[in-house]
Amino acid sequence: MKQKDERENNINRVISAAQSLFISDGIFATSINRIAQEAGLTPMSLYRYFNNKDTLVYTVWQDALATFFKQFMDEFELRTTPEMTGYDKFVVAMDIYFEIYRKSPNWFSYTQEMFSYAPSDKNSGKEIINVFWQYYDKEIPVPALKSLREGVEDGSIRKDVNIYMAYQCLLNAYTGATIYENVSFGVSPVDIIKFTADLIAKYIKSTN
């Protein structure tokens, strides 16, 4: 194996191992030594690819969100057709969104921990929150917002609905459930957001 290929393979193994451990056990409870062990490398080797834990956490977070978005888009393209109404596409988008979360029950606790994660080097340029908003303010909304616009155009969604406000309500429910999950009175974050999405879906649907 070429040195470049070996390096890339080792980096991917580290990211995969770290991502699994971060999501299952938490970031602060996971040591570099354990990640290296799971990846089949020595801690010294791991530090050749990542200068410190902050860099690794940032890279893993980017990869986790990119993977989530790819799974979301692949499934959305598979389950929608040009003939479907915009409203139906919106419902499909929300269903897929929740299905992914149900398959990864620890995702919310991981996201919550990432919200509170502060890198040791404040000047590193590794802004954890900015990585999150790249996907949840730009990438993830794309199919949902596009479906809402199509729904207004084809008449399946009420024309008096502010589609950006509708999506903002969903986003607020998501971030609120993530940050304040500990005071949700035993209701799972996914159920909170699903309930909000169902209310919005009923509200925006055209009765014509």
Side-chain angles (χ1 to χ4, degrees):
M1 182 182 293
K2 294 182 179 179
Q3 186 174 5
K4 180 181 178 182
D5 294 336
E6 182 179 2
R7 175 184 173 82
E8 185 175 338
N9 180 56
N10 287 342
I11 289 175
N12 289 335
R13 281 161 55 193
V14 171
I15 292 174
S16 178
Q19 189 175 116
S20 296
L21 290 170
F22 289 164
I23 293 176
S24 63
D25 300 341
I27 300 166
F28 298 105
T30 302
S31 68
I32 287 293
N33 287 349
R34 189 177 176 200
I35 294 170
Q37 183 180 15
E38 289 293 324
L41 300 171
T42 65
M44 187 69 70
S45 296
L46 190 151
Y47 280 119
R48 287 209 305 266
Y49 306 120
F50 301 94
N51 294 332
N52 50 48
K53 189 174 181 179
D54 287 342
T55 302
L56 178 57
V57 168
Y58 183 86
T59 304
V60 170
W61 182 228
Q62 285 182 308
D63 183 78
L65 290 173
T67 299
F68 181 100
F69 180 62
K70 184 179 185 310
Q71 291 176 344
F72 179 85
M73 287 304 302
D74 286 349
E75 189 66 18
F76 181 76
E77 291 174 2
L78 181 66
R79 290 170 51 177
T80 56
T81 65
E83 294 75 25
M84 293 176 66
T85 66
Y87 176 83
D88 288 336
K89 289 181 182 179
F90 174 77
V91 171
V92 168
M94 293 299 98
D95 285 345
I96 295 170
Y97 191 71
F98 303 124
E99 285 173 10
I100 293 176
Y101 278 113
R102 291 197 186 282
K103 291 176 182 176
S104 303
N106 294 326
W107 177 265
F108 268 101
S109 58
Y110 173 53
T111 304
Q112 187 176 31
E113 192 171 15
M114 289 305 302
F115 263 112
S116 62
Y117 187 85
S120 55
D121 181 4
K122 302 297 183 182
N123 299 316
S124 66
K126 305 297 186 183
E127 295 291 337
I128 296 292
I129 195 67
N130 288 344
V131 180
F132 174 85
W133 289 120
Q134 174 189 344
Y135 286 92
Y136 283 83
D137 195 35
K138 297 179 181 177
E139 304 288 357
I140 294 295
V142 169
L145 287 176
K146 184 178 179 181
S147 299
L148 288 170
R149 285 197 293 266
E150 289 179 6
V152 171
E153 292 174 2
D154 65 32
S156 60
I157 291 176
R158 290 168 41 189
K159 295 189 181 300
D160 62 328
V161 169
N162 185 321
I163 58 176
Y164 299 100
M165 189 174 295
Y167 183 80
Q168 187 63 49
C169 287
L170 277 175
L171 185 60
N172 289 346
Y174 173 81
T175 53
T178 301
I179 298 172
Y180 303 109
E181 187 270 337
N182 59 317
V183 292
S184 60
F185 305 102
V187 181
S188 78
V190 175
D191 289 338
I192 292 173
I193 303 171
K194 184 70 167 64
F195 179 76
T196 305
D198 288 344
L199 286 178
I200 291 174
K202 291 179 181 178
Y203 174 74
I204 67 175
K205 187 175 183 180
S206 175
T207 56
N208 296 333

